[in-house]
């Protein structure tokens, strides 16, 4: 009997160690920030307000987000647990607390982190041509006129190959 109990305890501790480092959303916790909302389903956080936008992270149902902008059927949100902003289809956001998981940086894949770093870097550029593949306000391709293509000055990250392993490690270590 003792041997079976020990095996069960080892199995339980193994399963707990394999569980993602996420915690349940706490509906009782008050937030000092305005516009607190929750995802009403598992949803993709995107880099642009469109289904064509890069997927920055897959958020679980009940993820706490802070909505701060609206673009048609999309809401710009900040996921405080990740310290990342992106877009979610507005129909998947609820003002009512939904018990569920909260994502953590440890839950993100390297591909998610690369997409986040690219999105953040490009959004920090104040002009309309951070990368060669962008179009300027007149609709012309930026190409060699982009900040990425010009030496000196702003150097946004434009391609997956621009993101180093050190950048990924640094992102995981934040927060």
């Amino acid at each position: 009997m003792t041997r079976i109990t020990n095996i069960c305890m080892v199995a339980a501790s193994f399963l707990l160690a394999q569980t993602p480092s996420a915690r349940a959303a706490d509906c009782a916790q008050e937030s000092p920030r305005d516009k607190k909302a929750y995802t009403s389903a598992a949803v993709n956080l995107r880099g642009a307000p469109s289904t064509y936008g890069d997927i920055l992270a897959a958020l679980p149902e009940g993820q706490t987000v802070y909505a701060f902008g609206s673009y048609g059927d999309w809401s710009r949100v900040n996921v405080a647990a990740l310290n990342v902003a992106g877009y979610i289809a507005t129909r998947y956001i609820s003002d009512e607390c939904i018990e569920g998981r909260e994502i953590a940086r440890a839950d993100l894949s390297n591909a998610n982190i690369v997409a986040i770093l690219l999105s953040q870097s490009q959004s920090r550029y104040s002009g309309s041509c951070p990368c060669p593949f962008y179009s300027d306000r007149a609709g012309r391709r930026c190409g060699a006129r982009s900040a990425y293509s010009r030496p000196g000055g702003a150097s946004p990250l434009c391609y997956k190959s621009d993101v180093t392993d050190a950048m990924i490690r640094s992102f995981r270590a934040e927060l």
Side-chain angles (χ1 to χ4, degrees), residues 8-142:
C8 289
M9 289 174 57
V10 169
S13 65
F14 174 79
L15 288 174
L16 287 174
Q18 301 304 310
T19 304
S21 59
R23 64 189 191 292
D26 184 5
C27 291
Q29 183 180 10
E30 290 295 320
S31 172
R33 295 176 63 181
D34 290 337
K35 312 274 187 194
K36 184 175 182 181
Y38 305 88
T39 56
S40 61
V43 64
N44 289 325
L45 177 70
R46 295 192 176 266
S50 160
T51 54
Y52 295 108
D54 289 338
I55 296 173
L56 306 181
L59 303 178
E61 181 177 11
Q63 175 69 49
T64 304
V65 296
Y66 297 90
F68 61 92
S70 177
Y71 300 87
D73 294 336
W74 295 83
S75 292
R76 180 126 168 103
V77 300
N78 181 7
V79 181
L82 301 175
N83 193 23
V84 172
Y87 298 88
I88 295 176
T90 303
R91 67 181 176 268
Y92 296 118
I93 297 177
S94 172
D95 292 336
E96 299 294 320
C97 184
I98 297 170
E99 292 287 343
R101 280 178 81 244
E102 288 271 322
I103 195 168
R105 286 183 179 228
D107 297 331
L108 297 174
S109 69
N110 284 354
N112 289 133
I113 294 172
V114 168
I116 290 168
L117 293 174
L118 291 174
S119 177
Q120 287 177 340
S121 176
Q122 293 166 23
S123 68
R124 286 187 200 116
Y125 183 72
S126 60
S128 62
C129 282
C131 300
F133 49 82
Y134 272 63
S135 296
D136 64 15
R137 289 181 182 95
R140 297 176 305 223
R141 189 163 183 258
C142 294

